[in-house]
Amino acid sequence: MTLRCPCGSKIDGNGDGERSRNFREHLVREHGQDRDALRMLEVREELGEEVTKGLLAMEMEMRAHLAPSTRSREEIQKDAIQCGGLTCVSEFPMSREQLEEYAVSITCPACGRKVGGDDDGELCEALREHCNGHEELRSLMVTRTIPGQR
């Protein structure tokens, strides 16, 4: 599977781990990032996926009081309207991004979060949006002009 860095360069790799390590090396080599500042990939790998997901879920619950719900968003909003517009955000189900449920993904070496989508195109777009959210990466991700095939 090949994805594109927001700058346009191809990042090759089989699976999340290899793609993530190759993306980190690309950031160091091509974008001048400090390797020590991009350690969250290793931290996440050392912790393991179960511990990491537990910590992320705990952080979400503490920050936004979110918890999985058995009711749909539409049911919660309909009930809120009937009750005068009041609803507790804890009833809203956690999003796909919060649960990190993707068909294809990459782990951000800067923050350790999974970024992904259903296919290569969605993954590339999600990576671009994610990198725009990192102050230290946004200015480095200037799109390059890639010559067309002849």
Side-chain angles (χ1 to χ4, degrees), residues 4-128:
R4 292 209 177 269
C5 172
C7 75
S9 295
K10 288 184 0 179
I11 309 294
D12 293 314
N14 294 321
D16 183 330
E18 187 177 340
R19 277 191 306 273
S20 300
R21 284 186 289 281
N22 291 344
F23 180 56
R24 180 190 57 221
E25 292 307 312
H26 169 77
L27 291 173
V28 170
R29 192 176 53 253
E30 301 296 324
H31 296 291
Q33 288 292 289
D34 179 22
R35 188 177 306 278
D36 291 335
L38 301 176
R39 281 201 21 83
M40 290 310 293
L41 175 60
E42 287 92 357
V43 169
R44 186 171 180 141
E45 287 173 345
E46 288 171 16
L47 289 174
E49 283 304 308
E50 284 187 39
V51 172
T52 300
K53 285 194 180 239
L55 290 171
L56 290 173
M58 209 168 31
E59 177 186 322
M60 289 293 171
E61 289 172 7
M62 290 176 9
R63 250 185 346 162
H65 306 289
L66 294 172
S69 176
T70 57
R71 300 190 309 160
S72 72
R73 181 174 292 274
E74 291 77 22
E75 290 173 318
I76 294 166
Q77 288 174 332
K78 181 179 175 185
D79 190 37
I81 291 168
Q82 291 174 347
C83 294
L86 301 173
T87 187
C88 177
V89 294
S90 67
E91 289 192 74
F92 284 108
M94 292 174 72
S95 71
R96 179 181 184 189
E97 289 79 19
Q98 292 165 327
L99 294 171
E100 297 184 333
E101 293 177 349
Y102 306 111
V104 290
S105 63
I106 187 171
T107 303
C108 176
C111 69
R113 291 239 180 230
K114 295 253 186 216
V115 179
D118 290 328
D119 56 32
D120 297 358
E122 281 186 18
L123 174 57
C124 292
E125 179 62 23
L127 181 61
R128 185 188 60 74

